[in-house]
Amino acid sequence: YIDRLRELSAKPYVQYVSIFRNYGKEAGASLSHAHSQIIAMPTVPRIIEEEMTASKKFYDQHQKCIFCDIIEKETKSSRLILDNTHFAVFTPYASVHPLEFWILPKKHAPTIRDLSKAEIEAFAETLKTSLKALKTLVNDPPYNYGFHLSINRDAENYYHWHLEIYPRLSIWAGFEKNTGIYINTVKPETSAAELRKNL
């Protein structure tokens, strides 16, 4: 991921590099073997743009990163799943998907491009442990994950990369598609407790 990100983000026409994985047919995986995908884009996607705008607004008001603030709060909350030297894993306060969880680095950085060897190893172990807990808990469900990052050095102070994991345990129907409002029948605190039990 990091090698491809470095290569692609160096191109002047690339504004964003999307790194994601679709696992299982229901999650959109088109090949049966394990794989991820990377797409270089000439624009920043809407979701990332909205995160960056909100992060910059918070930074301008409080002179600190909103994600660093979230990590500080979530490591003390009942939504915490896993906490180690380099990363925090938790279910977000307003999760869209049942058993959705995020992995955030404790060290502030806008991108994975500059991770140290120790951080890369810790991230790999954190991701493996978290996905194994999900697999054990709900019998190897389909899921998607995606890195949220910035390749724009201007975002260095206010944006914080993270990985979001979305298990595909429910189907969005008319209400969700018609309104953009999502019904999640599992509280994030319950999701966190169940995932913690299966670490």
Side-chain angles (χ1 to χ4, degrees), residues 2-162:
I2 293 169
D3 290 344
R4 295 280 179 92
L5 176 62
R6 283 182 184 140
E7 181 183 341
L8 292 168
S9 64
K11 298 182 184 307
Y13 57 87
V14 173
Q15 296 298 307
Y16 190 76
V17 179
S18 178
I19 304 171
F20 61 96
R21 181 175 188 201
N22 303 326
Y23 176 79
K25 186 176 178 182
E26 297 86 349
S30 54
L31 303 171
S32 59
H33 65 272
H35 68 287
S36 297
Q37 297 177 55
I38 299 176
I39 298 175
M41 302 172 62
T43 60
V44 177
R46 180 186 55 82
I47 291 172
I48 305 301
E49 188 67 46
E50 288 173 358
E51 275 186 4
M52 290 179 70
T53 299
S55 296
K56 184 167 186 340
K57 183 177 177 183
F58 185 90
Y59 183 83
D60 289 345
Q61 291 173 347
H62 304 282
Q63 295 303 300
K64 65 179 181 176
C65 165
I66 192 168
F67 290 99
C68 291
D69 191 62
I70 290 169
I71 292 167
E72 186 180 322
K73 289 180 172 114
E74 293 299 345
T75 52
K76 299 171 190 159
S77 84
S78 58
R79 291 178 294 279
L80 182 67
I81 299 168
L82 175 64
D83 185 26
N84 60 41
T85 305
H86 295 287
F87 294 94
V89 182
F90 57 87
T91 55
Y93 175 76
S95 55
V96 173
H97 304 273
L99 299 177
E100 174 182 343
F101 61 92
W102 296 3
I103 301 175
L104 276 86
K106 291 183 176 178
K107 180 176 133 188
H108 177 82
T111 179
I112 63 173
R113 198 168 36 203
D114 303 317
L115 291 177
S116 70
K117 186 176 189 299
E119 291 165 336
I120 292 167
E121 289 172 1
F123 177 73
E125 185 60 36
T126 301
L127 178 59
K128 181 180 176 182
T129 301
S130 301
L131 289 175
K132 185 176 184 307
L134 178 66
K135 179 179 181 175
T136 303
L137 177 60
V138 283
N139 195 26
D140 200 18
Y143 63 82
N144 305 97
Y145 71 53
F147 285 84
H148 289 213
L149 53 83
S150 175
I151 61 172
N152 180 350
R153 292 286 183 191
D154 293 343
E156 196 159 352
N157 289 332
Y158 63 83
Y159 195 69
H160 197 118
W161 79 268
H162 57 285

